[in-house]
Amino acid sequence: MSQDEFRLADEHLEAAKGIAGENRKRRSCKLCYGRGWSGVGQDNTIILCHKCVDQEGAMKAWKDYVEPIPELREYYKDMFEEQEPESEDS
């Protein structure tokens, strides 16, 4: 399956929604109505609420969730690649 055809399975979508909810910084939010996500994309992934969700915490939790699942790890492989250190020549 190419990346253009990727669609997140419903079970993983529910996990992502849970992660978003667990990483909310505010008790109520008019943007996401207290869910932690403001919509679902065409690939069945959520759009995190930028107003009330700790983006770094949510991404770390999602990375921890994805890591043991081979098909998700393959699709999200960019999250696991080490950032190349900048050369000292520049």
Side-chain angles (χ1 to χ4, degrees):
M1 177 184 306
S2 73
Q3 288 195 0
D4 293 334
E5 299 171 18
F6 178 79
R7 181 167 171 80
L8 189 66
D10 289 341
E11 66 188 75
H12 303 308
L13 174 64
E14 292 306 315
K17 289 176 180 179
I19 289 169
E22 292 168 3
N23 284 280
R24 290 186 58 237
K25 300 180 286 187
R26 299 174 61 167
R27 188 175 175 116
S28 64
C29 177
K30 292 181 181 180
L31 185 62
C32 70
Y33 305 106
R35 298 179 300 196
W37 52 278
S38 57
V40 178
Q42 289 182 336
D43 56 357
N44 210 31
T45 57
I46 63 169
I47 300 164
L48 287 175
C49 178
H50 66 276
K51 188 174 180 181
C52 73
V53 173
D54 172 12
Q55 303 283 318
E56 283 185 33
M59 291 307 290
K60 181 181 180 338
W62 180 245
K63 184 177 176 180
D64 292 344
Y65 175 83
V66 165
E67 191 168 20
I69 305 170
E71 61 272 10
L72 291 182
R73 186 175 170 90
E74 174 63 27
Y75 182 73
Y76 292 105
K77 62 186 171 199
D78 294 346
M79 288 189 340
F80 297 97
E81 292 178 357
E82 293 291 323
Q83 290 188 359
E84 295 183 26
E86 293 185 29
S87 64
E88 294 179 15
D89 297 339
S90 47

